Amino acid sequence: MTDGEIRRAGLVKYASDSRYNATSYDLGIGEIIDSEGRRYSEVGYLIKPQEIVWLVSRENVVLPEDITAHANIRTSLCNSGLLALNFGIVDPGWNGPLATAIVNFSKMGYFVKIEEKFLRLSFFQHNIPSKTNPISIDRKTYINDRVAIASRDFGATFLNVDKLSEEVAERIIKKKKEDMILYGAVLSISFGLAVIFISIATYVMPIFWGHPFENGSIDSRLKTLEERVLETE
């Protein structure tokens, strides 16, 4: 759709004339949400390297059942090392603001400003689909939902290295403990079997080979008998 068609269809509520392009519209940042759920709606926010924040549009997108929108992060932000984690198709029947999670992949911090353009929307008109799911959500509820997602499901940095390191350390310690318990059990069983074997051997060996003191006693008796025979002679 062209800019004129987008305007006439009223697809962007609270739109700014300067944000219309030939065949698209650039959404501006209305609010920024960090990983702790803190909201920033004045001036802007410095996104540190590897940090994740949510950007919420100042405008509402209003789509009838015969129009679909495609959302893409602006090239200027990509060139600065920022990448959107969730963008794509906005389904027919949507009525509300839009938001995306942004990661700073650059080596430098990036100061994102309120009102800055961040998502480019292209609109496509089509026949009314057989299956539609109209969704209308007010701004307050939508932002509260993003705050909950940011603080509950997303780490402060991409891949959340601190959390991953903690989980790996816990698994290593758990594995070591399991190995120690296994080795201890094996040693205990081995020691028990050795004790049993020694006990059995101590009992059985005299039966098969005789007791050494008994052999000594027989030799003594034979010697005494020989001495008596010699005396009688």
Side-chain angles (χ1 to χ4, degrees), residues 2-4 6 17-26 74 117 120-121:
T2 66
D3 60 332
I6 297 171
D17 288 340
S18 62
R19 301 183 188 278
Y20 282 98
N21 305 302
T23 57
S24 61
Y25 181 89
D26 292 333
R74 281 176 48 84
K117 300 173 182 179
R120 174 159 293 179
L121 294 183

Side-chain angles (χ1 to χ4, degrees), residues 165-175:
S165 299
E166 182 179 342
E167 290 180 353
V168 170
E170 288 179 354
R171 290 182 181 180
I172 292 175
I173 293 173
K174 182 180 179 181
K175 183 65 168 57

Side-chain angles (χ1 to χ4, degrees), residues 96-110:
L98 294 178
T100 184
I102 292 285
V103 183
N104 182 6
F105 280 109
S106 72
K107 297 180 180 179
M108 305 291 292
Y110 182 90

Side-chain angles (χ1 to χ4, degrees), residues 26 29 63 73 100 103 107 130 159 167 196:
D26 292 333
I29 299 172
L63 300 180
I73 188 170
T100 184
V103 183
K107 297 180 180 179
S130 57
L159 293 182
E167 290 180 353
I196 293 173

